Amino acid sequence: MKKTLMRQVNNQFPAPCLTINKKYTILEYTQEASEMFHLTPSLWEIIEEGSHTKVKEWIVPSEPKAKVEINMITASKQVVLVDLYVKWTNDLQAELMIFPKEGQNQHVSKMLDRLQTRLNETNFELLQEKEKLEDAIHENNKLSAPFIHLSEDTSLIPLFGDISEEKLLTIKDQVLSNAHSHETDCLLFDFTAVGEIHQEGIYVLKDLFTSLLYMGKQVVIVGIKPVQAQRLHHLKIRFNLSFVTSLQEAIHRFGA
């Protein structure tokens, strides 16, 4: 029986390469292949047993070109996952190029590490911008209900924009503090520039108005739209609220 001799060849690709025949005998190998595997004439010696079926199915002359993911056994007896690129030069011989997945995974891992670092930096920058935005919204909400003294007894609180829970929670303490410290008897809440009143905002309004009424203040609702008035009516506040159609009328009636 003729003994098959393997020979080392040079290859322009810096990757392990083999040339085999259709009986899966190794005919040629590159230096990279000899460094990675303990080579014998039989290809099966470096193919992990679980991948034998896949090799028999895909590394055949009827598949001129193929890419197969298999497990191979290295010179250090480690099982590694590889991409095996197969090209049959004729019906008798095929060229194999081997690309270990481990190296690719390391490359991907490094890319992911760099991406994570970028994301962490970006997240920190976004957090800073978010905090700035929240501060700006908070300040804007405070300005949405300025406390304006019209006289010793009367003050005006004009409301602007949509009435949300967040906005009212911001201005509630501010209004109560000003109402207490300035001993104002009559508070005109001007709804002329108000847009939508959110349901959660209505509950905070109820707490605000109830607190002011318990403090003995007169609460006057100015310029409210019919739909908004219906929503406030559902608050069922135990004390009476006064409603006036315009700010001019309110100033005239309440002696500001």
Side-chain angles (χ1 to χ4, degrees):
M1 184 175 181
K2 185 177 179 180
K3 184 177 180 180
T4 303
L5 297 178
M6 300 184 297
R7 67 187 183 97
Q8 182 173 326
V9 295
N10 294 322
N11 194 300
Q12 60 180 332
F13 297 106
C17 296
L18 302 171
T19 300
I20 64 169
N21 63 22
K22 62 180 182 180
K23 294 182 179 180
Y24 305 102
T25 299
I26 298 174
L27 305 176
E28 297 176 343
Y29 61 89
T30 61
Q31 180 179 345
E32 290 81 6
S34 66
E35 292 173 352
M36 184 172 183
F37 304 105
H38 177 67
L39 296 175
T40 66
S42 175
L43 179 66
W44 300 117
E45 295 295 326
I46 58 173
I47 304 295
E48 197 267 331
E49 185 176 357
S51 295
H52 283 196
T53 300
K54 188 181 290 187
V55 169
K56 291 177 182 178
E57 180 180 355
W58 288 100
I59 305 180
V60 290
S62 59
E63 295 287 344
K65 292 183 179 180
K67 174 190 172 185
V68 189
E69 186 180 78
I70 63 172
N71 288 314
M72 300 187 73
I73 304 170
T74 67
S76 60
K77 304 299 182 182
Q78 291 183 328
V79 176
V80 295
L81 183 66
V82 305
D83 280 332
L84 188 65
Y85 289 83
V86 184
K87 178 184 178 182
W88 287 87
T89 56
N90 53 53
D91 289 341
L92 301 177
Q93 293 186 1
E95 295 176 349
L96 312 181
M97 294 184 64
I98 304 163
F99 293 92
K101 286 279 193 178
E102 181 182 0
Q104 295 179 22
N105 289 341
Q106 289 176 351
H107 176 65
V108 172
S109 178
K110 290 179 181 178
M111 290 180 62
L112 289 175
D113 288 342
R114 289 196 295 269
L115 179 59
Q116 185 63 52
T117 300
R118 288 286 306 278
L119 286 174
N120 289 339
E121 293 173 352
T122 302
N123 286 340
F124 180 71
E125 293 172 358
L126 288 175
L127 179 61
Q128 289 182 315
E129 293 302 318
K130 178 175 178 289
E131 291 175 347
K132 291 179 182 178
L133 179 60
E134 289 176 346
D135 290 342
I137 292 174
H138 182 75
E139 290 301 317
N140 183 67
N141 285 338
K142 289 172 64 177
L143 295 174
S144 296
F147 199 92
I148 303 171
H149 301 289
L150 300 179
S151 68
E152 290 185 1
D153 299 325
T154 305
S155 292
L156 170 67
I157 300 99
L159 301 173
F160 300 97
D162 293 344
I163 301 299
S164 65
E165 179 183 31
E166 181 183 6
K167 179 180 290 185
L168 284 175
L169 287 174
T170 301
I171 67 176
K172 177 183 174 183
D173 291 340
Q174 176 181 314
V175 171
L176 291 175
S177 176
N178 283 325
H180 175 74
S181 61
H182 293 91
E183 299 182 353
T184 301
D185 293 328
C186 180
L187 298 172
L188 308 178
F189 285 86
D190 186 6
F191 280 72
T192 304
V194 168
E196 181 182 356
I197 303 179
H198 299 174
Q199 185 62 41
E200 295 79 5
I202 289 179
Y203 297 140
V204 184
L205 268 181
K206 178 179 180 179
D207 291 340
L208 174 59
F209 291 160
T210 301
S211 297
L212 290 170
L213 292 169
Y214 271 117
M215 291 168 63
K217 309 298 181 181
Q218 182 177 10
V219 176
V220 181
I221 309 300
V222 180
I224 196 167
K225 301 176 180 65
V227 175
Q228 297 169 341
Q230 289 179 3
R231 302 199 71 178
L232 291 183
H233 178 70
H234 294 154
L235 293 179
K236 298 180 180 179
I237 296 177
R238 292 174 56 190
F239 304 95
N240 291 328
L241 298 175
S242 300
F243 290 85
V244 179
T245 57
S246 69
L247 181 58
Q248 183 178 3
E249 180 186 352
I251 293 174
H252 176 73
R253 283 182 54 182
F254 296 97

